[in-house]
Amino acid sequence: LLSRRCLLLPDPDDAPVTLGDTAYRIKRIDAPAASGLALRILSLLLGGRGSLLAQLVCRWLMNRNGTSRLRRLAGQIIRQRSTQSLTYPMVRLSQERHAEHERLAGSAEEVRKRPCKYNSVLDFHAAYKSGAATPSAVLERVLAAIDRFPAELRVFSGLADRGELRQAAAESGMRYAQGLPLSLFDGVPMAFKDMVSIAGLNTTCGTHSAHGRGLAAEDEVVVARLRQAGALVMGLNVMTEFGVTPLGYSLHSRAPVNAYDPRRYSGGSSSGTAVGAALG
């Protein structure tokens, strides 16, 4: 145990790490599972936090699993915050501030000022049937909104071919004109979390596009059935990387922020879907 690793020195063979670098460098870690008698012995060894043996074992395990790299990243965060403010920092609240937040949340009123009017599937269906709107007109408004919103409100990680969408919308409009819509979903724009396969799009599960599944050959069942029902399959929504964080911000997409307040997170992991719905 009395080695450089035990003394919590950085691994000299560790590759340098840079804050904000999204590249993957997969490295095998040594984190054996313990159960039964082995787990009991390990618990006894590590149970006394004040003992030298417990500290050495913990530090040895931490170093074997790259803790030094996390420490270097933390150091970069501290240095960056000393020279410039982070765009979306995570802040650990004091007990007093946490209690204040809980009080404000408990007394909060329903949000009444929304970015735009919300329309349900039934709203679209009724408008199409009455002739108050057409699938093509609605699609153009959606595409214009996608182009208009700033980068920090990016909600799509992959967008379907616009020509194919316009063709599908036109066909839907013809069905409504004939009084023969396929279903309530006919002509309604639909988007899906970036963990669902859509033909022609690369599902990434919120990670870098190079690590995605590649262009899907066919739709997943839920997408296929909605497409058969006439829905306009717009594409894939941004999500947090592998869905492992509740913050909602995607490092790879650099978005989305909160639809109501760009200084705040949207929450996640289905952040693109939530923000897209909030923006109408």
Side-chain angles (χ1 to χ4, degrees):
L1 294 175
L2 298 178
S3 65
R4 289 171 62 87
R5 294 180 188 271
C6 288
L7 298 176
L8 201 53
L9 294 176
D11 184 347
D13 297 325
D14 242 355
V17 290
T18 303
L19 187 66
D21 181 7
T22 60
Y24 287 94
R25 298 178 182 86
I26 307 300
K27 182 178 179 181
R28 184 179 181 83
I29 62 173
D30 185 11
S35 61
L37 180 60
L39 179 58
R40 292 186 180 185
I41 295 174
L42 189 61
S43 298
L44 289 173
L45 289 175
L46 303 182
R49 295 184 179 180
S51 71
L52 177 60
L53 178 60
Q55 293 182 41
L56 289 175
V57 171
C58 286
R59 291 177 178 180
W60 178 75
L61 289 173
M62 290 166 65
N63 277 334
R64 289 295 296 270
N65 290 282
T67 304
S68 59
R69 302 185 69 194
L70 295 177
R71 290 172 182 260
R72 276 179 278 166
L73 284 173
Q76 292 177 44
I77 292 175
I78 294 173
R79 289 193 295 274
Q80 184 178 8
R81 290 184 67 178
S82 66
T83 57
Q84 64 183 82
S85 60
L86 293 178
T87 308
Y88 304 106
M90 291 179 61
V91 179
R92 186 178 296 277
L93 299 178
S94 65
Q95 291 185 351
E96 292 76 13
R97 288 198 63 192
H98 185 274
E100 177 65 9
H101 279 224
E102 290 289 335
R103 185 189 67 78
L104 292 173
S107 60
E109 298 181 358
E110 179 185 357
V111 175
R112 300 185 184 278
K113 183 180 180 182
R114 296 186 170 95
C116 63
K117 181 182 182 298
Y118 294 163
N119 292 299
S120 68
V121 171
L122 290 176
D123 290 333
F124 283 115
H125 184 66
Y128 295 159
K129 288 184 66 176
S130 68
T134 66
S136 293
V138 169
L139 173 65
E140 293 303 327
R141 290 185 63 183
V142 173
L143 293 176
I146 293 172
D147 295 335
R148 183 177 70 252
F149 287 130
E152 60 267 23
L153 287 175
R154 177 187 176 193
V155 298
F156 280 94
S157 57
L159 190 64
D161 180 81
R162 298 191 180 212
E164 294 179 0
L165 285 171
R166 290 187 170 105
Q167 178 63 31
E171 293 173 358
S172 175
M174 292 176 62
R175 290 192 292 271
Y176 275 102
Q178 297 168 1
L180 298 172
L182 295 175
S183 72
L184 290 174
F185 297 103
D186 203 348
V188 178
M190 294 278 179
F192 301 82
K193 190 174 182 178
D194 189 10
M195 58 189 302
V196 176
S197 293
I198 295 179
L201 297 182
N202 179 21
T203 302
T204 68
C205 293
T207 186
H208 194 281
S209 59
H211 300 279
R213 303 175 188 170
L215 299 183
E218 59 184 11
D219 293 332
E220 273 193 31
V221 173
V222 63
V223 180
R225 290 184 178 178
L226 282 168
R227 198 190 294 274
Q228 291 168 4
L232 304 180
V233 179
M234 300 296 299
L236 296 169
N237 287 142
V238 173
M239 63 176 286
T240 58
E241 192 167 24
F242 300 120
V244 297
T245 168
L247 299 180
Y249 188 78
S250 168
L251 179 63
H252 298 287
S253 298
R254 305 289 180 179
V257 293
N258 193 293
Y260 298 97
D261 186 347
R263 299 170 300 173
R264 302 181 184 277
Y265 288 116
S266 64
S269 62
S270 305
S271 48
T273 305
V275 173
L279 293 172

